Amino acid sequence: MRIPLNYSRITMCTAAGVAIAAGTFGYAGAQEYRQAPMLDARVDSGELPPVEERLPDDPEVIEPVENIGTYGGEIRRGLRGSSDHNSILRIVGPQGLTRWDPDYTRPIPNLAESFEVEDDGRTFIFKLRPGLKWSDGEPFDAEDIAFNIEDLVLNGDYSTVPPAYQIDGQPPEFEVVDDQTVKFTFAEPYGSFLAELSTPLGQHATLHPKHYCSQFHPTYNDNVDALIQENGVSDWVTLFQLKCGDIEIPSRWANPDKPTMDPWVVTEPYTGGSTRVILERNPYFWQVDTEGNQLPYIDRINNSIAQDVESLVLEVVAGKIDMQARHLDDPANRPVFAENMEDGGYAFYETVSDGNLMGLFPNLTHKDPKMRELMNQKDFRVALSVGIDREALIDIALLGQGEPWQVGPPEGYAGFDEKLGTQYLEYDPDLANELLDGLGYTERNSNGIRLMPDGTPLSFRIDTLPTLFPAANDILELIAQSWAEIGVEATLNNMERTLFYSRTSENNDHDMAIWGAGGAWRQGTLPQSLVAIHHDSRQGIPWVQWYKSNGAQGEEPPALMKQRMDLWNKARAQTDPEDFTAVMTEIGDIAAEQFEVIGISLTPPKYGVKNAKLRNVPESMPASWYYPTPAPTLPQQYYYEQ
């Protein structure tokens, strides 16, 4: 099943400023709300106010996927080591101003009750839900948005402005209109703003409660230096992130004292040496079902921490994982899971991606001039591509599930480009040898490996992250065998996630690295395999740094990469999805000609496992970090059938 790109024009409004509200979620006629039994004693003792006082004035009403749920129970999941924080984010969800609808077709209001778009996509006005409260009961209002935007996002002492909050290198003007209304005004149209706010990378505006996190900010605390010394850190930014976290760092889940807007809040933190991370229901969560029951239905999320994927597989077989695809969706695991399904008490659900399973990113900005020259030869990259027997690889490593593909939208999606997706896919070792000979690599050593001009073997390492791509090692070993037959030596460099990011996204220390290679062109989704704009654009990290800093850092890219960067800025500005696709097609045409990233196979449908009694889980859902799976299906409305 493919999720169609049908990005409704409801995403953007005309200059008239039409308000977009979650109309299907309106709660009509309810005078009484209900809460989870686990909160009764706290209300009876006076620790918590009654549920109707904890909810906003007009809570968002969620229509469950199947049925009105029942309260109680926990969802057990498995984390992989000390840097699997995004697995927590995926189940809890990014609680931003907007979110993706469950079908991944358009942004809809979230903490914002409605939004208006004016001035041809330059001005965005967000009306917050009145009466929202943080998990400690303190009000959530426009001053919290102002703190996050003015004191953090736009504060150069804290960080550079995140890409989601700038267009053409320019940040917005921000204004608090009233206690419940904020306005962002950009100098140029920014058609992708609502979509980018709906991704995990766009939630900065709502992440930090001012009443709590301001104590770690020098603007609000004259004694912040004492806290810096007390906590053994070097500066206030490090202190702030230690205590309040950020979007993609483990410390986001390490402080139980930090209030949040999430459905569940941390009670056992994610810190070094932890064996589990526990999150329990937020008594002030702001959504209810159609009968007035405060969400979430599930009492807690229990994340056990394993040191390897094999341990997580055993947990599934033993019936100790209640809802998860991450780390478990290697096709090789499915037969084992199917065999033990009845005894383990679980079932499958499908996740569907429109992108490439895995791309090979040659480092075109390598620090070593010799390796940089090698990787920048297009004929070398073409030789590597036609030197891969993808059909055999798919049969062996993916159990026959897949389709040879490079990068870009699959057939049937908006923006499909046959050349971009299908060039250099056919296994042709004769052509590979001819290309390598033509580049002058004709001499070989006793092992059959070609020699570089200085007499050293034509050899490089592929940095890989097997914990995130379970099938990666099997695939790469088969690729390395194919390349050895054409005289190219590739060795695998397996590493833990934190080191992988340090080497490949920050320090530019890799020869080649793997990552997902993109797919359908959807606003809010970054085409990192086509243009160097993100830390996952491992073909040119110094170019990414140059792009993000408006030329102040990194390395100036070549002309055709700069042209694509300009086109990407133009694409993000488009208010009409068809115009967005047209500009992306220009980027794709250049990327196809340059052929910088080598694709392997379209991602076949994958399968997560869920407790057989867990309800309101869709049978199939989109699979994407930008979605991010499964959060927009609203796990707060999952429940256990009694």
Side-chain angles (χ1 to χ4, degrees):
M1 169 185 163
R2 287 180 175 172
I3 307 298
L5 181 59
N6 181 23
Y7 198 80
S8 167
R9 295 194 184 198
I10 200 169
T11 300
M12 294 301 302
C13 309
T14 66
V18 180
I20 306 297
T24 59
F25 300 134
Y27 186 41
Q31 301 297 319
E32 185 175 324
Y33 297 106
R34 287 169 290 280
Q35 67 186 14
M38 73 175 291
L39 300 177
D40 289 348
R42 297 175 65 186
V43 173
D44 292 344
S45 69
E47 179 186 350
L48 288 175
V51 60
E52 60 270 14
E53 296 179 19
R54 302 197 307 270
L55 287 166
D57 300 350
D58 187 14
E60 182 180 12
V61 178
I62 303 301
E63 183 174 352
V65 169
E66 298 172 292
N67 304 300
I68 296 295
T70 55
Y71 287 119
E74 66 179 15
I75 292 178
R76 297 167 297 175
R77 292 169 57 83
L79 305 180
R80 172 65 174 85
S82 59
S83 297
D84 200 11
H85 40 278
N86 283 340
S87 185
I88 304 174
L89 186 154
R90 284 175 178 266
I91 193 72
V92 169
Q95 304 303 320
L97 291 169
T98 62
R99 68 174 186 267
W100 284 108
D101 71 331
D103 292 330
Y104 202 8
T105 59
R106 63 189 177 98
I108 60 176
N110 196 54
L111 289 174
E113 185 175 58
S114 63
F115 48 74
E116 298 177 11
V117 184
E118 300 178 343
D119 194 20
D120 295 324
R122 291 177 174 84
T123 299
F124 299 80
I125 302 170
F126 297 90
K127 185 74 174 178
L128 302 178
R129 300 182 187 278
L132 286 168
K133 298 177 180 64
W134 293 94
S135 57
D136 62 354
E138 291 295 316
F140 174 97
D141 57 26
E143 284 303 312
D144 290 295
I145 309 295
F147 173 70
N148 281 277
I149 298 300
E150 295 176 339
D151 294 308
L152 299 172
V153 168
L154 302 181
N155 181 355
D157 292 335
Y158 181 73
S159 70
T160 57
V161 178
Y165 292 86
Q166 54 178 299
I167 186 73
D168 283 338
Q170 297 299 313
E173 293 183 6
F174 174 79
E175 178 185 349
V176 173
V177 178
D178 58 42
D179 287 347
Q180 303 301 323
T181 311
V182 296
K183 179 192 292 187
F184 295 82
T185 302
F186 293 90
E188 300 295 334
Y190 185 3
S192 293
F193 187 48
L194 297 175
E196 296 202 24
L197 288 185
S198 302
T199 74
L201 302 179
Q203 61 183 312
H204 295 84
T206 60
L207 195 59
H208 302 301
K210 180 178 180 179
H211 70 277
Y212 178 80
C213 292
S214 60
Q215 66 181 302
F216 309 113
H217 196 297
T219 299
Y220 300 93
N221 184 357
D222 293 336
N223 297 316
V224 74
D225 287 343
L227 291 177
I228 292 172
Q229 184 174 4
E230 178 182 327
N231 286 275
V233 295
S234 58
D235 51 54
W236 77 265
V237 174
T238 306
L239 172 71
F240 189 94
Q241 294 187 346
L242 175 68
K243 295 296 186 180
C244 288
D246 210 328
I247 289 176
E248 285 194 275
I249 58 178
S251 62
R252 175 175 178 175
W253 313 101
N255 183 2
D257 294 332
K258 180 199 168 186
T260 178
M261 300 300 291
D262 299 334
W264 299 275
V265 299
V266 172
T267 56
E268 291 189 30
Y270 197 20
T271 57
S274 298
T275 58
R276 67 178 189 175
V277 181
I278 302 293
L279 297 94
E280 295 190 353
R281 70 169 58 255
N282 174 359
Y284 292 90
F285 192 62
W286 45 278
Q287 291 174 339
V288 298
D289 67 19
T290 51
E291 293 186 0
N293 300 297
Q294 185 187 30
L295 299 176
Y297 294 133
I298 298 293
D299 287 338
R300 65 184 60 82
I301 307 294
N302 185 341
N303 303 277
S304 62
I305 299 176
Q307 295 309 310
D308 53 62
V309 173
E310 290 75 14
S311 298
L312 294 177
V313 170
L314 292 175
E315 292 282 277
V316 172
V317 171
K320 297 181 179 180
I321 297 290
D322 293 314
M323 202 282 174
Q324 186 163 332
R326 186 177 174 93
H327 306 310
L328 303 173
D329 54 6
D330 185 339
N333 289 335
R334 194 178 181 207
V336 176
F337 292 159
E339 181 180 351
N340 293 277
M341 184 179 296
E342 185 174 351
D343 290 341
Y346 54 83
F348 287 133
Y349 66 93
E350 182 184 58
T351 65
V352 182
S353 171
D354 53 32
N356 201 300
L357 175 71
M358 189 178 76
L360 301 170
F361 288 69
N363 187 354
L364 307 180
T365 57
H366 206 290
K367 295 175 180 177
D368 181 347
K370 180 180 71 172
M371 192 62 67
R372 177 183 287 221
E373 180 181 1
L374 174 70
M375 295 296 179
N376 272 278
Q377 296 175 111
K378 179 181 175 181
D379 279 355
F380 176 67
R381 301 192 298 272
V382 173
L384 293 183
S385 185
V386 299
I388 299 172
D389 188 347
R390 290 174 176 82
E391 295 286 358
L393 182 155
I394 289 169
D395 286 342
I396 296 170
L398 300 179
L399 304 183
Q401 301 179 62
E403 179 183 343
W405 203 256
Q406 294 292 357
V407 298
E411 191 171 1
Y413 285 82
F416 166 65
D417 184 315
E418 184 173 7
K419 180 178 180 180
L420 181 65
T422 64
Q423 64 181 340
Y424 311 128
L425 288 177
E426 185 177 353
Y427 180 47
D428 192 342
D430 291 337
L431 175 58
N433 280 312
E434 179 183 331
L435 291 169
L436 293 170
D437 288 344
L439 291 171
Y441 306 121
T442 56
E443 300 295 324
R444 301 194 186 212
N445 63 19
S446 59
N447 294 320
I449 301 302
R450 296 172 185 271
L451 300 179
M452 302 279 279
D454 63 358
T456 58
L458 200 169
S459 175
F460 57 85
R461 295 193 301 177
I462 306 174
D463 284 8
T464 178
L465 188 62
T467 57
L468 191 60
F469 294 96
N473 274 13
D474 291 342
I475 292 171
L476 292 171
E477 286 172 1
L478 291 169
I479 290 174
Q481 291 173 19
S482 294
W483 285 349
E485 294 174 3
I486 60 173
V488 175
E489 181 181 57
T491 57
L492 274 60
N493 187 27
N494 294 320
M495 62 192 68
E496 185 267 340
R497 184 185 182 101
T498 301
L499 179 58
F500 177 85
Y501 268 91
S502 175
R503 278 181 53 83
T504 68
S505 294
E506 298 171 7
N507 298 328
N508 195 39
D509 287 334
H510 59 293
D511 302 333
M512 180 181 287
I514 67 166
W515 201 253
W521 293 335
R522 181 182 283 106
Q523 287 177 301
T525 301
L526 304 183
Q528 66 259 18
S529 59
L530 306 181
V531 54
I533 53 173
H534 185 257
H535 64 243
D536 289 335
S537 301
R538 293 175 173 85
Q539 72 273 39
I541 292 300
W543 298 339
V544 175
Q545 295 165 345
W546 184 91
Y547 171 78
K548 286 187 173 182
S549 66
N550 296 315
Q553 300 173 17
E555 175 184 322
E556 183 175 359
L560 287 175
M561 182 59 74
K562 286 197 291 185
Q563 183 179 353
R564 277 173 281 170
M565 291 173 174
D566 290 340
L567 286 169
W568 170 240
N569 289 337
K570 181 180 178 181
R572 294 173 73 228
Q574 302 307 308
T575 58
D576 187 314
E578 292 182 3
D579 293 337
F580 172 83
T581 300
V583 179
M584 287 299 302
T585 299
E586 294 184 62
I587 294 175
D589 289 344
I590 299 172
E593 186 61 33
Q594 295 302 298
F595 191 65
E596 295 151 339
V597 176
I598 302 168
I600 304 300
S601 169
L602 288 175
T603 304
K606 292 186 176 183
Y607 298 87
V609 295
K610 72 177 189 70
N611 189 300
K613 294 183 178 181
L614 193 63
R615 294 290 182 261
N616 286 344
V617 181
E619 293 182 0
S620 181
M621 63 184 71
S624 173
W625 160 242
Y626 299 103
Y627 178 67
T629 314
T633 70
L634 304 184
Q636 53 266 35
Q637 53 96 38
Y638 299 172
Y639 76 99
Y640 285 105
E641 186 176 57
Q642 299 301 309

